Amino acid sequence: MNKEDIEKAVREYISAKSYNRMELKAAMFDMDGVLFDSMKNHAYCWHETMKHFGLDLPEWEAYMHEGRTGAGTINIVSKRQRGYEATEAEIKEIYQYKSDLFNTRPKAVRMPGALETLLKVKESGVVPMVVTGSGQKTLLDRLNRNFPDIFRAELMVTAFDVKYGKPNPEPYLMGMDKYSKFTTSTYAPNNFIVVENAPLGVQAGVAAGVFTIAVNTGPLPDSALLDQGANLLFHSMQDLCDNWQTVYEVMQ
Ligand code: CA
């Protein structure tokens, strides 16, 4: 990615949104497939869990639903296969089974380049945040263990906070709101960027009006992310890391 391409993407964003410029203050990172190399595990666990409950969700399809709440994914499969939505009790049971299975799997490793990116982001004075559809109870501990001194619980949006989940813009709108409350400052979407690896996540970031950077760490073609309106695309977190200084400078 050269500087001209980054400048062009930023120019197009600010012109489409009628801003004078970007005034970047915080970067909202999705977690699975961005910070952790965990999507293979999730896809496997979704498939096995659904099978256990007599439902069918192929592993490849799990990538298409990445970012949805557990309830959202369960209901898509339930409606498709049984013609009705799952009850709250069923959703709880299925999601619990999936979470328990996930916890028996080898722990997902940090995405290569993720820590290096976060350190650069923080060093440049931009606040790193996490906005995830995940609801693992150990999430904050894991984040702190793998990314020491980077994130704050007050600036984190998880499955426990949101009602709709991605692709609804709600998680990212909530992220901006949390930032505003925490810093007691006003904000606009041009104070933020979103970093996402999944089509539904990109859709959520774009719908929230935020400049959305896609990082294609999975099996989908780039077009799956660009078609959802991603403003920029990098091929790995290391790729984003290598370009961070330029991205940051262009967004001042
Ligand atoms: Ca993701």
Side-chain angles (χ1 to χ4, degrees):
M1 179 83 54
N2 59 42
K3 191 174 181 185
E4 286 69 35
D5 291 334
I6 297 171
E7 281 173 338
K8 181 165 174 279
V10 171
R11 211 165 43 236
E12 283 173 1
Y13 170 83
I14 59 177
S15 134
K17 304 282 178 190
S18 304
Y19 294 123
N20 293 323
R21 60 188 180 94
M22 287 288 288
E23 294 172 63
L24 184 60
K25 292 179 179 170
M28 298 190 281
F29 288 86
D30 170 54
M31 187 175 77
D32 289 301
V34 170
L35 301 179
F36 290 109
D37 194 2
S38 45
M39 270 313 294
K40 273 197 195 86
N41 266 348
H42 278 293
Y44 169 84
C45 291
W46 270 121
H47 173 70
E48 290 297 316
T49 299
M50 292 296 191
K51 198 166 75 182
H52 177 83
F53 288 93
L55 296 165
D56 183 39
L57 176 65
E59 282 187 39
W60 66 264
E61 194 193 329
Y63 286 93
M64 307 287 288
H65 297 304
E66 186 187 344
R68 275 191 216 288
T69 60
T73 303
I74 291 162
N75 269 329
I76 283 174
V77 178
S78 178
K79 273 197 276 190
R80 179 174 67 202
Q81 199 171 326
R82 312 190 294 185
Y84 55 87
E85 292 199 343
T87 64
E88 259 185 54
E90 274 183 310
I91 288 171
K92 213 175 156 200
E93 192 188 357
I94 296 172
Y95 193 65
Q96 188 63 49
Y97 187 95
K98 191 254 170 182
S99 303
D100 291 345
L101 181 61
F102 188 80
N103 287 333
T104 67
R105 303 284 295 164
K107 284 280 165 280
V109 295
R110 257 195 326 240
M111 187 64 79
L115 178 60
E116 294 77 0
T117 303
L118 291 169
L119 289 170
K120 279 192 184 180
V121 167
K122 199 178 170 193
E123 176 70 27
S124 58
V126 174
V127 177
M129 300 174 63
V130 171
V131 176
T132 175
S134 175
Q136 301 158 53
K137 295 215 165 56
T138 55
L139 193 142
L140 183 60
D141 287 347
R142 265 186 80 215
L143 282 168
N144 285 338
R145 224 173 22 252
N146 284 277
F147 305 98
D149 300 323
I150 300 280
F151 298 112
R152 308 191 62 116
E154 300 91 329
L155 292 174
M156 195 173 287
V157 177
T158 72
F160 300 112
D161 297 297
V162 300
K163 186 171 175 206
Y164 302 106
K166 303 166 189 175
N168 193 290
E170 177 202 30
Y172 285 115
L173 296 174
M174 200 174 269
M176 292 192 277
D177 195 50
K178 284 197 177 197
Y179 175 86
S180 164
K181 286 198 175 103
F182 185 72
T183 58
T184 61
S185 60
T186 57
Y187 70 89
N190 64 326
N191 297 140
F192 298 85
I193 53 170
V194 161
V195 180
E196 268 286 355
N197 72 305
L200 297 177
V202 168
Q203 207 180 313
V206 169
V210 180
F211 188 98
T212 300
I213 296 177
V215 181
N216 193 1
T217 61
L220 303 173
D222 289 350
S223 60
L225 299 161
L226 294 169
D227 289 352
Q228 298 301 331
N231 299 91
L232 271 180
L233 183 139
F234 294 101
H235 292 100
S236 64
M237 284 300 278
Q238 190 57 53
D239 190 16
L240 171 59
C241 182
D242 295 341
N243 284 280
W244 173 255
Q245 193 54 34
T246 310
V247 170
Y248 172 73
E249 281 167 14
V250 169
M251 290 191 175
Q252 291 315 295

